[in-house]
Amino acid sequence: MKVVLFCGGAGMRLRGYSDDVPKPMVQIGTRPILWHVMKYYAHFGHKDFILCLGHKGNTIKDYFLHYEESISNDFVWSNVRKSIQSVNRDIDDWKITFVETGVNANLGQRLLSVESYLRAEEMFLVNYSDGLSDAPLPLIRRARGK
């Protein structure tokens, strides 16, 4: 099941703190809020993400294009081979679709912008990319015969 995350707002409530960084990229520990939200969904088996980008969307793209697992994971470094071997991995099985939905688009417009990525889906999940929860997200099973 695909998860659509709205990542395009201007972050007005964090004005001053997040002038240089979009709100979903504000750090909590070693990772941004967006990563924690995605990790939450992945924990429940939802690993196919569509990110609706807008305000400072390139910052989000750059983060994942240059993702560094060694920041928060154990690894083995070998000077002899000049290599790093990850002991565990974070996001290997995630699929992330980055969609530019417009800087000034509202939520409805952002959702319409990703419609073509959702046509084959019977159901999908939608959420903001800057709010965390520890509430359980039950796995949704398809009805018999579908």
Side-chain angles (χ1 to χ4, degrees):
M1 181 177 307
K2 293 187 180 193
V3 179
V4 176
L5 295 173
F6 297 124
C7 306
M12 300 303 284
R13 291 176 299 219
L14 286 177
R15 180 71 78 205
Y17 178 80
S18 67
D19 288 342
D20 299 327
V21 177
K23 192 165 45 167
M25 298 308 290
V26 171
Q27 296 283 309
I28 297 177
T30 59
R31 299 285 185 208
I33 295 172
L34 175 60
W35 179 90
H36 290 282
V37 170
M38 294 169 78
K39 192 73 170 171
Y40 167 78
Y41 280 101
H43 174 77
F44 291 98
H46 306 291
K47 300 176 183 181
D48 191 349
F49 300 97
I50 299 172
L51 303 184
C52 298
L53 304 175
H55 177 72
K56 298 191 180 181
N58 283 340
T59 304
I60 295 169
K61 289 178 185 177
D62 286 343
Y63 175 78
F64 286 103
L65 286 172
H66 301 102
Y67 186 74
E68 181 57 57
E69 288 196 298
S70 63
I71 290 173
S72 62
N73 287 311
D74 297 342
F75 64 92
V76 176
W77 177 76
S78 173
N79 191 32
V80 174
R81 285 183 261 156
K82 302 286 188 210
S83 67
I84 294 177
Q85 179 183 8
S86 293
V87 174
N88 53 344
R89 312 232 16 150
D90 278 329
I91 65 173
D92 275 356
D93 56 351
W94 292 7
K95 178 183 174 189
I96 307 171
T97 304
F98 300 83
V99 182
E100 290 291 342
T101 59
V103 174
N104 298 314
N106 63 35
L107 295 179
Q109 291 167 323
R110 290 187 196 288
L111 195 53
L112 277 174
S113 294
V114 300
E115 180 183 19
S116 63
Y117 300 100
L118 299 168
R119 283 202 178 107
E121 300 298 309
E122 183 178 326
M123 284 189 269
F124 60 92
L125 301 168
V126 180
N127 205 346
Y128 295 101
S129 61
D130 60 357
L132 297 173
S133 172
D134 64 352
L137 179 67
L139 294 173
I140 298 173
R141 304 204 187 275
R142 294 179 187 251
R144 275 190 199 196
K146 291 191 177 185

